[in-house]
Amino acid sequence: MKLLVTGGAGYIGSVVAAQLLEEGHEVTVLDDLSTGHADAVPPGAAFVQASITEAGGVLSEGFDAVLHFAAKSLVGESVEKPGLYWSHNLGGTLALLDAMRQAGVNRIVFSSTAATYGEPERTPILETDPTRPTNPYGASKLAVDTALTAFAGLYGLGAVSLRYFNVAGAYGEFRERHTVETHLIPNILKVALGERESVSVFGTDYPTPDGTCIRDYVHVADLARAHLLALDACTPGEHRIYNLGSGTGFSVKEVVDVCREVTGHPIPITVAPRRSGDPAVLVASSEKIQRELGWKPAHAMLRDMVADAWTASTKPA
Ligand SMILES: O=c1ccn([C@@H]2O[C@H](COP(=O)(O)OP(=O)(O)O[C@H]3O[C@H](CO)[C@@H](O)[C@H](O)[C@H]3O)[C@@H](O)[C@H]2O)c(=O)[nH]1
């Protein structure tokens, strides 16, 4: 298939683009490089440096589907600059959907997020559970999910939204490297690499066994594989939503311990206040995607995710 991957110079988009190429697809990456890296675009993919609001020109070349990753994705920033998140994540995606319709491209796989659920009433979270995002990032992603449902009904769009929980690990040399790093595992590994003295643990007074937040980590290679299955499942007139996690929760302290074990570094911690907007526990039920699309995580062990991230981060970029 001929595929457009928006945000394909970012962490998850580049891994998906690499897997699509391995499967023999023709891939064009569209990325404005505001957060992505040109050298993350996999060899073999065509590259267009542009924003999603300018996708019309590329799409007119004729594509079978779009995999849409380009987005602003920092929860804290979204609270400070909600307009940026609404215009980029919702406005940008509406422009992309309009350009797709004009070009006759009617299949899309969309990067949604566990942040659409907000503070869950129970875990593991099911796709049918209430969506009450607690920040503009989650709200903007939920708004896109809502638009996709409407467009599937109105225009026959075939859409699949994948709601990621906490993505970790690396795929060969493709790894997480944000300009502003907020994520837990890369921050811990920076300590082991000697780039920081300690890692801050945001809150030790949560209602969890060790007082720190619990998250569900999914390996980026497994997550990427789900996109290939989702692409095949795009059915005109339908919008499907699937959670993607491993179904097991790890506390922040447990993650630090796994990182200590993998890196052999003591990794000192500093206890810091809670980070605003962090739910205590986020664990996915991924039963639906396993049942309907046959997805199964091949690297469900957190140790493997950390080991892959560590190996990739100790290689030169
Ligand atoms: O230096 C750090 C970084 C994080 N944390 C904690 O570690 C946990 C995980 O944080 P992080 O890695 O930032 O992930 P989340 O905030 O859980 O966000 C992930 O999950 C969201 C869904 O809820 C997605 O939308 C985000 O894009 C994705 O990164 C949270 O309890 C944080 O408070 C720390 O204690 N210290």
Side-chain angles (χ1 to χ4, degrees):
M1 278 196 264
K2 190 172 175 191
L3 304 166
L4 185 69
V5 179
T6 77
Y11 170 44
I12 300 168
S14 62
V15 175
V16 174
Q19 287 196 357
L20 291 168
L21 288 162
E22 283 162 25
E23 294 291 315
H25 295 291
E26 192 181 334
V27 174
T28 298
V29 165
L30 178 98
D31 197 303
D32 64 5
L33 299 185
S34 58
T35 54
H37 303 264
D39 63 0
V41 176
F47 176 51
V48 178
Q49 186 176 350
S51 139
I52 44 174
T53 55
E54 302 160 329
V58 188
L59 281 167
S60 63
E61 291 167 17
F63 282 86
D64 297 301
V66 173
L67 293 104
H68 179 32
F69 300 90
K72 297 273 172 209
S73 61
L74 300 178
V75 170
E77 184 186 55
S78 81
V79 175
E80 284 157 25
K81 300 177 187 165
L84 182 68
Y85 278 69
W86 286 110
S87 71
H88 198 96
N89 293 358
L90 179 61
T93 303
L94 291 176
L96 175 69
L97 290 171
D98 193 38
M100 284 173 62
R101 209 149 66 82
Q102 287 188 30
V105 182
N106 74 341
R107 287 199 279 174
I108 185 167
V109 178
F110 173 61
S111 296
S112 188
T113 167
T116 54
Y117 295 109
E119 185 77 52
E121 276 167 16
R122 56 164 191 188
T123 56
I125 301 171
L126 294 170
E127 291 83 351
T128 45
D129 283 350
T131 42
R132 289 188 289 246
T134 51
N135 53 63
Y137 165 64
S140 66
K141 289 279 185 173
L142 180 61
V144 172
D145 280 345
T146 310
L148 291 175
T149 304
F151 284 26
L154 277 170
Y155 309 125
L157 182 72
V160 177
S161 293
L162 298 175
R163 289 192 172 154
Y164 313 155
F165 282 64
N166 289 60
V167 188
Y171 187 65
E173 73 273 25
F174 299 103
R175 66 182 173 91
E176 200 167 4
R177 49 187 172 123
H178 301 105
T179 324
V180 183
E181 193 51 75
T182 63
H183 292 128
L184 180 62
I185 294 174
N187 276 346
I188 298 173
L189 295 183
K190 277 181 190 289
V191 181
L193 286 166
E195 293 172 19
R196 287 192 189 173
E197 297 217 326
S198 69
V199 64
S200 299
V201 172
F202 299 137
T204 51
D205 57 351
Y206 284 97
T208 60
D210 68 16
T212 64
C213 288
I214 292 176
R215 293 289 182 272
D216 179 345
Y217 294 86
V218 55
H219 196 294
V220 69
D222 287 331
L223 184 95
R225 183 66 40 197
H227 290 74
L228 276 70
L229 298 170
L231 185 61
D232 290 337
C234 278
T235 310
E238 271 185 29
H239 175 216
R240 302 190 192 185
I241 297 176
Y242 295 108
N243 287 342
L244 270 180
S246 298
T248 311
F250 289 88
S251 74
V252 172
K253 282 187 176 166
E254 286 172 332
V255 175
V256 174
D257 282 341
V258 171
C259 292
R260 284 175 175 148
E261 207 185 296
V262 168
T263 64
H265 190 282
I267 310 179
I269 62 168
T270 308
V271 173
R274 288 184 179 197
R275 193 173 68 175
S276 106
D278 273 346
V281 182
L282 282 177
V283 178
S285 164
S286 302
E287 204 264 325
K288 185 181 173 194
I289 191 165
Q290 301 204 18
R291 190 181 64 240
E292 293 189 7
L293 304 191
W295 179 75
K296 214 171 160 27
H299 316 273
M301 305 293 287
L302 181 62
R303 204 185 181 288
D304 295 344
M305 301 179 210
V306 171
D308 289 351
W310 177 238
T311 305
S313 58
T314 49
K315 280 187 200 148

